[in-house]
Amino acid sequence: MAVLQRIKGTNDILPDHLGSGIFRSGLWRRLEETSLRVASLSGYHEIRTPIFESTELFVRGLGDVTDIVKKEMFSFTDRGERQLTLRPEGTASVVRAWIENGIGVSDAVARLSYLGPMFRAERPQKGRYRQFHQFGIECIGGGEVRHDIEVIAVFWNIIRSLGVSGVTLRINSVGCPECIPHYRDVLRAYFEPFIGELCDDCRERHRTNVLRMLDCKNPACQAVLSSAPPVTGHLCGECAASWDGLRHGLDLAGIPWLHDTRLVRGLDYYTKTAFEIVHEDIGAQGTIVGGGRYDGLVAASGGQAVPAVGGAFGIERMLLAMQAGDPALSPATRPRFFLVQIGDGVDDDIERLLSGLRLHGIYAMRADGSRQMAKQMRAAAKFASLEVVFVGGDEWNSGRLAIKNMDSGEQDTLVVGPAGVLACLLERAGA
Ligand code: ATP
Ligand code: MG
């Protein structure tokens, strides 16, 4: 029978000692815990929403002219003829949950974080998958520019805490319904004489979504696009003040930024601040974090008209960026002790020690199968154990404990005190 394989564009994330590269679960856990913890320092706490929602939610939330809605959604009809979609992103669901649970009533400014799998039917490649994962935060009700800075700073601090370097924060303003229609006219008129030189996508966007033309990656279009008039010259008074405040606030926070005049969102309810954090060395899929202000989304989703700002990063891309800085990415979880048996008659001692150590929260292992010394030592190394403890043999019988550090290769001998072996190991582990 043919062996069934995982679907293209999805990944198995294996235990650290079995996986390779970024697909090791200990790394994921470390990234997830760091992200949740750093976000919580600014008051962002985790919300978990379902993985599928009604298709309508994403069509309304993202707009039917976006790539995601036009060609990337995994949608299906269920047995009750309902149109459902595996979530392609997190914001629409979080906003729905905010409305549905009346969160705005108790928290005028609601700070929420989320993480989990997202689904998009894209061409799989390094850093681009069909099931991928995001960590995101949303500040719903936060209408001041300091909320924009707070959101950006959370991502910046996560990146720093994970030890990722070589990233650039890119910012722009995308205006508001007050000033953007005018800017669209300016852009459309600017592109008009060049339309014959541009790609098909650009030509279509010239009609449907002129802002998104700025986003085009086609090399043939770059010259025309890069000299387009920047939006920041066409902002209304309020948006201009917010744009000034953003740059000033980032300077105060010590976060370096770059003005990217071609960073756009292309949907009416994305307003003012747009930002991305880009890594220089992980190739074509270098955008790790994307976000911005979306003052019109909550109302468009059927809630009150409240301002909001948020963003998200791709967990796989963040891990690729971590790996670029530290190719070894030392496994997060290593056994503190690996008990190696010498001779017979110590089985009960080993089992008793393993139980005692684990009861005290210490990761402890022994070899499965063969009791040959070389095989046990190989097993200890495979788990990346920190220290091997030898149980049995002459030292053990004379009340001493031989311990080998697996990183340095150095061996120690401890005299077991009256409290016994377990107490001796617990003390050594600082437990
Ligand atoms: P891209 O320009 O790479 O397609 P996007 O604009 O579609 O990104 P967002 O919707 O802003 O991305 O999602 C935020 C982040 O999620 C991205 O910056 C990226 O890190 C990650 N991401 C998006 N799509 C994928 C995917 N298919 N596979 C892996 N990560 C992804
Ligand atoms: Mg995309």
Side-chain angles (χ1 to χ4, degrees):
M1 213 170 10
V3 178
L4 293 175
Q5 295 184 320
R6 62 172 193 266
I7 305 298
K8 215 170 121 203
T10 67
N11 293 291
D12 296 317
I13 302 161
L14 303 179
D16 280 353
H17 67 288
L18 299 174
S20 63
I22 65 167
F23 297 106
R24 294 185 285 160
S25 59
L27 286 176
W28 283 65
R29 187 162 289 276
R30 192 165 90 195
L31 178 144
E32 289 166 0
E33 280 169 1
T34 301
S35 305
L36 288 166
R37 181 178 54 76
V38 170
S40 74
L41 300 178
S42 298
Y44 290 80
H45 300 294
E46 191 188 9
I47 180 169
R48 301 190 190 197
T49 62
I51 276 170
F52 62 95
E53 303 260 7
S54 66
T55 300
E56 179 65 18
L57 178 76
F58 301 112
V59 176
R60 270 207 245 164
L62 296 162
D64 48 16
V65 294
T66 52
D67 286 351
I68 295 183
V69 170
K70 270 195 340 207
K71 49 190 187 201
E72 296 176 358
M73 293 206 302
F74 281 105
S75 298
F76 59 100
T77 308
D78 78 354
R79 290 161 205 264
E81 297 295 312
R82 281 170 289 256
Q83 302 298 314
L84 305 176
T85 293
L86 298 180
R87 65 180 184 195
E89 57 98 55
T91 303
S93 305
V94 172
V95 168
R96 180 206 44 72
W98 179 88
I99 298 170
E100 197 167 335
N101 296 282
I103 295 176
V105 179
S106 48
D107 280 357
V109 178
R111 292 180 170 84
L112 301 165
S113 63
Y114 62 85
L115 62 86
M118 306 291 161
F119 304 85
R120 296 187 196 177
E122 303 196 75
R123 194 169 65 79
Q125 53 198 290
K126 186 183 175 196
R128 192 177 290 288
Y129 313 95
R130 293 188 162 179
Q131 173 171 338
F132 66 103
H133 299 74
Q134 282 186 341
F135 175 89
I137 61 172
E138 312 289 357
C139 178
I140 305 177
E144 297 166 42
V145 71
R146 68 181 183 85
H147 295 119
D148 306 42
I149 295 156
E150 175 182 289
V151 165
I152 293 172
V154 166
F155 289 114
W156 195 254
N157 292 343
I158 290 173
I159 286 173
R160 305 259 318 234
S161 301
L162 292 170
V164 173
S165 56
V167 294
T168 309
L169 166 66
R170 297 167 170 270
I171 55 170
N172 196 19
S173 174
V174 295
C176 71
E178 191 78 8
C179 47
I180 278 306
H182 166 66
Y183 177 62
R184 277 207 196 94
D185 293 342
V186 171
L187 266 190
R188 220 174 269 121
Y190 164 80
F191 287 128
E192 199 67 61
F194 306 108
I195 202 74
E197 304 164 31
L198 300 174
C199 71
D200 291 349
D201 274 352
C202 278
R203 252 176 276 159
E204 192 200 321
R205 286 173 179 163
H206 190 250
R207 280 182 286 110
T208 57
N209 196 351
V210 66
L211 286 180
R212 282 294 308 280
M213 286 177 74
L214 297 172
D215 215 17
C216 177
K217 304 284 185 306
N218 195 320
C221 307
Q222 297 310 305
V224 171
L225 297 177
S226 56
S227 27
V231 59
T232 40
H234 299 268
L235 298 174
C236 64
E238 196 186 311
C239 290
S242 164
W243 172 237
D244 288 344
L246 175 69
R247 289 171 298 160
H248 176 66
L250 290 171
D251 288 343
L252 281 184
I255 303 176
W257 52 268
L258 198 86
H259 181 194
D260 180 347
T261 55
R262 291 176 53 186
L263 187 61
V264 289
R265 281 286 181 260
L267 282 173
D268 282 352
Y269 40 67
Y270 285 100
T271 52
K272 297 174 181 162
T273 303
F275 71 90
E276 277 182 1
I277 301 178
V278 182
H279 193 272
E280 284 115 36
D281 305 324
I282 56 174
Q285 320 306 331
T287 307
I288 309 179
V289 193
R293 176 162 284 285
Y294 50 95
D295 285 347
L297 177 63
V298 183
S301 308
Q304 303 149 262
V306 300
V309 52
F313 66 78
I315 291 180
E316 289 86 349
R317 288 193 200 172
M318 187 69 88
L319 290 168
L320 286 167
M322 284 166 71
Q323 196 182 31
D326 172 15
L329 279 188
S330 52
T333 45
R334 309 172 61 178
R336 181 64 187 79
F337 296 117
F338 196 94
L339 307 189
V340 164
Q341 168 173 1
I342 302 180
D344 293 323
V346 286
D347 233 47
D348 287 357
D349 291 312
I350 290 190
E351 289 304 321
R352 208 178 306 116
L353 277 174
L354 286 175
S355 313
L357 288 165
R358 291 168 182 168
L359 189 64
H360 284 84
I362 290 173
Y363 181 9
M365 294 295 288
R366 73 181 296 184
D368 297 300
S370 168
R371 295 285 174 259
Q372 264 178 41
M373 177 60 73
K375 288 205 171 145
Q376 292 189 68
M377 291 306 285
R378 230 175 290 140
K382 184 175 150 203
F383 280 97
S385 310
L386 273 161
E387 291 186 314
V388 162
V389 179
F390 297 95
V391 179
D394 293 343
E395 303 234 51
W396 172 264
N397 290 332
S398 61
R400 279 172 304 169
L401 210 49
I403 298 187
K404 181 175 180 174
N405 183 304
M406 295 293 280
D407 290 337
S408 66
E410 272 166 37
Q411 197 149 326
D412 248 6
T413 308
L414 302 183
V415 177
V416 178
V421 178
L422 178 61
C424 177
L425 291 177
L426 288 175
E427 191 190 327
R428 187 171 179 87

